[in-house]
Amino acid sequence: KKGGFRFYMEKEIYEQFEVLKENTLGRNTKEGIKFEEVDKKFFEGINNIIISACGTSYHAGLVGKYLIERDAKIRVNVEVASELRYREPLLSQDTLFIVISQSGETADTLETLKMAKKAGLKTLALCNVDNSSIVREADKTILLRAGIEKGVASTKAFATQVMTLWMLSNYLANKNEYYAINEAIEVTKVDTSLHEKIKRLSKRYTKGHGFFYIGRDIFFPLALEGALKLKEISYIHAEGYPAGEMKHGPIALADPDLYVVALLSKNILFDKTKSNIEELVARDATVLTISSEYIEMTDDFIRINETNHPMVEFFEMMVITQLLAMEVAIRMGNDVDMPRNLAKSVTVE
Ligand code: F6R
């Protein structure tokens, strides 16, 4: 059933290339983005967007904020559902309420959806499970088409959430990035020699006192997600941090046993991020840099393809962070499909 893979998680990482093709089929076209599920009329009168989600789905939402605000010029607030639910948010009727959920059953996310509906907002679900509670509740749904995800640590569902938000952003902005989207799908194909390299590299990263994943812009939410993947299956403490925030406290933790995974985009704030890496190197942290631009100073380096589009870098880095988390956890003897204390679908509050 695992198709020759050691774990479902590994299978699902490898599947991402096919799954993203499915996710974009008939939606990413040469003439622009098309969604059968919604039309332009649905978005009329929308001046704001609130995205509500939990965990990995929340991280995807954060990527959506960067994309939609930059391209479509619509204000986006991204909310952790368990917080949004119990405060008294100001919900205005010109707001589109988007929920993101793999399972469609996450209790907190579902409750925020009901709350938004009650306040009279238009609601849209990005969800992987048709006929789930969230899909039944929402006005409209764009299905993620990731197939069944078995690994508790979400991988391919995250990939489709980010891709769907990217397409939605194009749609709202009347922007056509047909070729970049296809390029981003292409780079998720796992290169086995890269996987071997990550396997070898993971040896170095099992001991220290914790990890920081750092990045700027869309690579900040990817840092959050990379850190979440690592902590949930390896049980090693990890944090995602905006690269520019390290100097405001966390850099005090830097020593050779602090591991840093630096997501260094060539296309967005390269020099700024590079100097943040330099600061960590100067304080003797052990740094693994992922970039298309070789930088000599760090302990380890994983090269990604050269591209002019940050989202293409994003998807290639995403696969690398997933593989790294998995290899560290396997090396520690953990069952990466069934991490302790976690359930695939969180239907309790
Ligand atoms: C992490 C993970 C969780 C889920 C979260 C929301 O790998 O899977 O953080 O993302 O529980 O679940 P869904 O997307 O089903 O609402």
Side-chain angles (χ1 to χ4, degrees):
K1 269 187 297 180
K2 291 179 207 162
F5 292 100
R6 294 166 293 171
F7 292 97
Y8 283 112
M9 183 184 182
E10 185 174 37
K11 176 171 174 273
E12 288 164 1
I13 292 171
Y14 273 73
E15 258 168 25
Q16 289 178 117
F17 170 67
E18 294 300 334
V19 159
L20 285 172
K21 279 201 282 193
E22 191 60 37
N23 171 267
T24 55
L25 188 74
R27 293 172 175 168
N28 182 39
T29 79
K30 280 192 178 140
E31 295 76 46
I33 300 297
K34 296 190 173 129
F35 290 117
E36 261 178 24
E37 300 85 343
V38 282
D39 51 24
K40 284 263 146 79
K41 233 179 116 207
F42 179 69
F43 296 95
E44 268 170 23
I46 296 297
N47 293 315
N48 300 288
I49 293 174
I50 294 176
I51 299 179
S52 170
C54 302
T56 290
S57 301
Y58 169 74
H59 296 154
L62 289 174
V63 180
K65 175 184 171 81
Y66 283 90
L67 299 176
I68 294 169
E69 288 198 339
R70 183 142 53 223
D71 290 337
K73 308 290 176 208
I74 302 172
R75 185 184 308 116
V76 181
N77 285 315
V78 191
E79 306 275 355
V80 170
S82 60
E83 282 299 314
L84 181 65
R85 221 188 129 171
Y86 298 109
R87 54 189 185 81
E88 285 170 37
L90 302 172
L91 301 172
S92 57
Q93 308 250 332
D94 62 347
T95 302
L96 170 66
F97 196 84
I98 301 181
V99 287
I100 307 177
S101 177
Q102 189 287 126
S103 64
E105 300 298 343
T106 301
D108 285 323
T109 309
L110 177 62
E111 286 308 314
T112 60
L113 174 59
K114 288 182 181 161
M115 186 170 101
K117 268 182 76 178
K118 217 165 146 198
L121 273 62
K122 283 186 188 169
T123 59
L124 171 67
L126 309 185
C127 188
N128 196 36
V129 180
D130 200 2
N131 215 28
S132 56
S133 305
I134 284 176
V135 169
R136 276 180 276 135
E137 196 70 33
D139 296 332
K140 302 274 179 196
T141 296
I142 299 177
L143 287 174
L144 299 172
R145 304 178 183 162
I148 293 168
E149 191 177 59
K150 289 213 165 187
V152 166
S154 180
T155 52
K156 62 177 181 170
F158 176 72
T160 60
Q161 289 166 346
V162 173
M163 183 57 84
T164 305
L165 286 161
W166 185 9
M167 289 191 291
L168 184 62
S169 167
N170 265 222
Y171 184 82
L172 296 172
N174 285 317
K175 191 171 172 180
N176 186 335
E177 294 180 301
Y178 174 77
Y179 292 101
I181 287 174
N182 284 340
E183 198 187 335
I185 296 172
E186 207 58 38
V187 298
T188 62
K189 210 187 269 171
V190 181
D191 179 74
T192 47
S193 69
L194 170 73
H195 189 173
E196 282 308 313
K197 178 178 170 153
I198 293 169
K199 224 182 250 180
R200 270 199 316 281
L201 239 156
S202 66
K203 263 198 297 226
R204 197 203 264 268
Y205 294 97
T206 57
K207 289 188 188 67
H209 56 71
F211 275 74
F212 273 87
Y213 284 66
I214 60 166
R216 284 172 181 262
D217 204 275
I218 53 171
F219 302 95
F220 163 51
L222 183 58
L224 290 173
E225 175 57 12
L228 178 62
K229 282 298 79 98
L230 184 80
K231 67 188 140 193
E232 66 184 326
I233 59 176
S234 75
Y235 320 136
I236 301 173
H237 180 76
E239 285 188 62
Y241 232 78
E245 269 289 295
M246 290 299 284
K247 62 169 79 64
H248 298 286
I251 202 163
L253 289 162
D255 69 15
D257 297 321
L258 181 77
Y259 303 145
V260 178
V261 178
L263 308 175
L264 176 60
S265 164
K266 190 201 77 175
N267 294 295
I268 298 187
L269 297 166
F270 175 81
D271 292 320
K272 298 260 181 238
T273 311
K274 189 174 167 217
S275 77
N276 299 137
I277 298 171
E278 278 161 2
E279 288 153 10
L280 284 154
V281 169
R283 283 154 191 86
D284 243 359
T286 298
V287 183
L288 161 62
T289 303
I290 307 174
S291 185
S292 64
E293 294 282 302
Y294 181 67
I295 55 165
E296 210 174 336
M297 59 187 170
T298 61
D299 302 84
D300 284 310
F301 180 81
I302 296 176
R303 188 185 295 281
I304 60 165
N305 289 301
E306 177 108 39
T307 166
N308 291 323
H309 203 297
M311 286 302 285
V312 178
E313 296 179 294
F314 181 99
F315 277 94
E316 196 172 354
M317 288 184 190
M318 174 196 75
V319 174
I320 293 168
T321 56
Q322 293 166 342
L323 289 171
L324 179 68
M326 186 185 75
E327 289 305 334
V328 169
I330 292 175
R331 206 172 266 285
M332 297 180 81
N334 301 342
D335 178 349
V336 301
D337 286 338
M338 293 287 228
R340 67 188 186 199
N341 310 339
L342 296 176
K344 181 70 188 158
S345 163
V346 184
T347 51
V348 293
E349 308 172 357

